[in-house]
Amino acid sequence: MGMIAYEDLAPGRVFDLGDVEVDRAEMLAFAEQIAAKSESCASPSSRCSAPGSRAERFSCS
């Protein structure tokens, strides 16, 4: 399968991308990264794009 454009996607389309095993340590490290980013967005002095959007949780300055 070649590259897929956004317009080629349809609701409900499924892609088999294989399996990934994640151990406890990897999961906790990821959770700590996300928690640290969301805490920085919680402060009144932070500037987050698109309040209330998914970008707010990940794109803070």
Side-chain angles (χ1 to χ4, degrees), residues 13-24:
R13 185 168 179 188
V14 177
F15 297 90
D16 182 11
L17 303 175
D19 296 329
V20 175
E21 288 190 31
V22 179
D23 65 20
R24 185 177 193 275

Side-chain angles (χ1 to χ4, degrees), residues 2-51:
M3 293 202 40
I4 299 173
Y6 177 78
E7 293 81 16
D8 297 332
L9 298 175
R13 185 168 179 188
V14 177
F15 297 90
D16 182 11
L17 303 175
D19 296 329
V20 175
E21 288 190 31
V22 179
D23 65 20
R24 185 177 193 275
E26 288 175 300
M27 193 176 303
L28 292 175
F30 178 76
E32 287 176 12
Q33 290 175 352
I34 298 302
K37 289 181 181 181
S38 65
E39 287 172 9
S40 68
C41 285
S43 71
S45 62
S46 68
R47 294 180 58 215
C48 298
S49 60

